[in-house]
Amino acid sequence: MRKPIWSGLVLCSLLGCAGASTSTSGDSSRPAPQAETPAETPVEAPPGEQQSPAAVASTPKALRVTASPSPKDDIIIKGLELQGDTLVASVMHSGGCKEHTYDLLWKGDFQKTAAGAAQAELVLAHDANGDACEALLNRTASFDLGPLKQRWREQNKSEHGAVELRFTGSQATVRYAF
């Protein structure tokens, strides 16, 4: 009977599930982990199955057009998936003690690739809200690309087209066809 309780206590102290009060390092300056919003909490896939990023995507946030899009806190784009006009991004970053937010930013203009195709340079902005915790988090964020499609249609006077989406600070790209 003692073994499962002891194992649970050791695991809990290693993972920090009881907060700073059970820390063995003596560092009580780090805040206790807070509950995360449902939009950020991934749903576990059954054992042996890999989960699609779309399975955990919440209501998509609209792409924001801004004069000077710039990143805020560090983020790694692990994967991109298009579902109609929704971009689903699998991301990784540190944190675990505060709520994190994500925005997809765009300057509002199109460039041309070397092959002459339209492309848009986007910024996946991550705001850690001052989270100093160091857990490695895997999250999914979804974004509505409607504003980009509308701008393309206005400029090109056509209903259908394709734009290569490139992301500042990343090698990740995805072709958005509509």
Side-chain angles (χ1 to χ4, degrees):
M1 185 73 169
R2 284 186 179 181
K3 193 171 191 174
I5 293 172
W6 177 250
S7 298
L9 289 174
V10 170
L11 182 61
C12 202
S13 67
L14 289 173
L15 295 176
C17 61
S21 61
T22 61
S23 174
T24 57
S25 66
D27 179 13
S28 61
S29 63
R30 185 176 292 169
Q34 297 175 354
E36 295 179 14
T37 61
E40 288 188 340
T41 305
V43 179
E44 294 295 323
E49 290 184 27
Q50 188 172 20
Q51 185 174 16
S52 163
V56 294
S58 63
T59 303
K61 288 178 84 173
L63 166 78
R64 283 191 353 194
V65 180
T66 179
S68 55
S70 60
K72 186 169 176 150
D73 293 317
D74 291 339
I75 189 166
I76 296 170
I77 299 173
K78 292 176 50 178
L80 298 168
E81 181 180 328
L82 282 169
Q83 296 181 343
D85 293 334
T86 300
L87 174 70
V88 180
S90 297
V91 299
M92 184 171 61
H93 54 78
S94 63
C97 295
K98 294 187 179 181
E99 182 178 340
H100 293 237
T101 58
Y102 313 94
D103 284 303
L104 189 60
L105 309 173
W106 177 47
K107 193 173 182 177
D109 60 352
F110 296 100
Q111 301 85 33
K112 295 284 184 185
T113 64
Q119 75 177 8
E121 184 74 26
L122 305 177
V123 173
L124 182 53
H126 164 231
D127 186 353
N129 291 304
D131 190 348
C133 289
E134 298 174 358
L136 193 56
L137 305 177
N138 290 292
R139 298 290 180 258
T140 303
S142 58
F143 304 96
D144 176 17
L145 298 173
L148 185 139
K149 179 168 73 172
Q150 184 63 31
R151 178 79 51 99
W152 190 92
R153 286 178 170 171
E154 289 168 2
Q155 289 182 3
N156 293 285
K157 310 289 188 238
S158 176
E159 282 296 306
H160 303 286
V163 178
E164 183 176 333
L165 306 179
R166 299 178 114 10
F167 295 83
T168 301
S170 173
Q171 296 295 323
T173 62
V174 65
R175 186 174 185 267
Y176 174 41
F178 47 90

